[in-house]
Structure formats: structure tokens, C-alpha cells
Amino acid sequence: GAVVSQHPSWVICKSGTSVKIECRSLDFQATTMFWYRQFPKQSLMLMATSNEGSKATYEQGVEKDKFLINHASLTLSTLTVTSAHPEDSSFYICSAREGGASYNEQFFGPGTRLTVL
Amino acid sequence: GNSVTQMEGPVTLSEEAFLTINCTYTATGYPSLFWYVQYPGEGLQLLLKATKADDKGSNKGFEATYRKETTSFHLEKGSVQVSDSAVYFCALAQGGSEKLVFGKGTKLTVNP
């Protein structure tokens, strides 16, 4: 099946620094990528949807200037958490979908655990 | 808005036991319904899905039936194995939309 990787798998950073998380589709071209956030014992919450070569669409309540998303190629999307604070600590998950007009399956990465001290 | 409610875990069973994980949803119209499974250290994988009322999704011995009258999509398996230990997520997508709405997940542990 299709494989999506994330890097790093976990990261610890100091408050005020920025952290970049990569999401790669390894064996298919991902027209669309999604970024989710998961709090402990909570469901995955969609943060934003990005299409290759265009600006990401953010869900209501998600700060676009804080969570910068870039989808510059068909196999790579990045999420940068700028000026991170402890409340940004969470599990971030990406998914990727091949192109097509109808709903296609999303393939998920294993997630990145971010801890902000 | 759309939402998914699934039973609280964790669930612990012995091998060959019967499994039910309840899932109910709130949505307008006719959403598609999904079960995803996340094995330790891996990403979520689509387990099964149903796109209209009375459809039954099935895969790897797991089944779930789309019940519009009870707005439910309960996951069942007749005989679980140790390898089924994972976190299971129920999800919906509003008709034609690619946006998934997830439940909180239910952790299943199967003991030999």
C-alpha cells in the first residue's frame, strides 16, 4: 500500500523557537495533503488542507501565521510551528491523497510528537 | 456540526473473544463512514468503509453496518487475535467531502 513518512518522529524544543515537520509520500504523488493535531485521549482534529503549488486552507480557529504549511512538491509538505509555546505541544499527523475528482483514500503518516519546554 | 462518538477504552479481551466497538455519529445528509486502525508506531490505515445506508463494510474479519435509523456504525469481529491489538478510530466524511471527522479512538488489547 501507499506509504507516508513523517520526520522527525519526535522533537523537543524550547519555548519561542520554530519547529519544522516534514511529511512525504514515498511511492505516490500526493495532490492533496492534510495536517491533523491530536491531543491525548482526543480525536484527530483537521488543521489544514494543502494542495500542491497553492496556499493551504486552514480550519476555523487555526492560526495560519503560527502553523505555516508549505506543499511545494507532489511528494512533500511541511508544517512549521513558529514561536512555539508549551500549549503547542501535541501529536501532529499528516495524511496524503492522490489526485482525483472523487473521494480517494487518505494515507496517514505515523505522526510527530512535539514537546515545547 | 458533524461529530463522531465512540466507546471509551481501553478494551481488553482474550484471544478468540467477540469484539464490538460502538460508534454513533451526528451529521446532516448522508455521510460516508469509516473505521481506521492504528498499529503501534504506524500511521492510521483504512480498515473498512460504507458509503450509504445498510451497506456493510468488511475487511480482515471485521465488519460494520451503516445504520441510518440509529446513526450507528459499530465495529465487530467474531474472534479477535493478539495481532488485532491497536487503536481503532471511527470517522465520517460529509457527502463528497474529503474532510474526515474522527472519534476519539478506542484502544484494544488482546491477550493470548
Side-chain angles (χ1 to χ4, degrees):
Chain A
V3 179
V4 175
S5 69
Q6 283 185 241
H7 178 80
S9 54
W10 58 270
V11 56
I12 301 173
C13 69
K14 293 182 178 180
S15 185
T17 61
S18 294
V19 174
K20 180 184 286 188
I21 301 170
E22 293 185 348
C23 176
R24 293 183 185 272
S25 57
L26 300 185
D27 49 5
F28 67 99
Q29 293 188 323
T31 306
T32 306
M33 287 185 167
F34 305 84
W35 286 96
Y36 296 84
R37 183 174 180 177
Q38 184 181 26
F39 293 101
K41 298 185 179 181
Q42 299 293 319
S43 61
L44 283 73
M45 300 297 295
L46 180 65
M47 299 174 65
T49 302
S50 72
N51 291 294
E52 185 266 338
S54 61
K55 289 184 179 181
T57 302
Y58 290 81
E59 295 299 300
Q60 192 172 10
V62 178
E63 299 176 58
K64 61 180 66 177
D65 293 331
K66 179 156 190 70
F67 298 100
L68 300 179
I69 292 172
N70 183 280
H71 190 170
S73 79
L74 284 171
T75 59
L76 173 65
S77 176
T78 60
L79 167 67
T80 301
V81 183
T82 62
S83 187
H85 291 283
E87 58 265 30
D88 299 323
S89 298
S90 192
F91 195 57
Y92 292 89
I93 300 171
C94 74
S95 69
R97 191 199 69 168
E98 272 190 288
S102 60
Y103 176 84
N104 288 334
E105 182 177 348
Q106 292 182 33
F107 298 97
F108 287 79
T112 297
R113 172 77 59 193
L114 169 63
T115 301
V116 184
L117 302 177
Chain B
N2 300 334
S3 66
V4 175
T5 303
Q6 61 183 103
M7 64 186 288
E8 295 279 336
V11 174
T12 303
L13 296 173
S14 297
E15 206 164 22
E16 299 184 0
F18 183 84
L19 169 71
T20 299
I21 300 178
N22 290 337
C23 172
T24 57
Y25 67 90
T26 301
T28 55
Y30 303 94
S32 295
L33 303 173
F34 307 84
W35 277 100
Y36 283 83
V37 58
Q38 185 176 30
Y39 299 104
E42 299 182 15
L44 276 74
Q45 302 173 26
L46 179 63
L47 179 60
L48 54 85
K49 69 178 182 181
T51 57
K52 62 183 187 295
D54 299 326
D55 266 3
K56 177 185 284 187
S58 62
N59 185 25
K60 300 181 180 179
F62 290 90
E63 292 183 340
T65 301
Y66 189 141
R67 301 287 188 198
K68 186 175 183 296
E69 62 276 14
T70 55
T71 61
S72 65
F73 193 55
H74 305 320
L75 182 68
E76 297 182 337
K77 187 173 185 181
S79 176
V80 293
Q81 305 300 312
V82 173
S83 57
D84 293 327
S85 298
V87 181
Y88 292 82
F89 293 88
C90 186
L92 70 80
Q94 192 63 55
S97 171
E98 57 192 6
K99 294 183 181 180
L100 289 167
V101 176
F102 287 90
K104 294 184 179 181
T106 302
K107 183 176 182 179
L108 169 67
T109 301
V110 180
N111 295 317

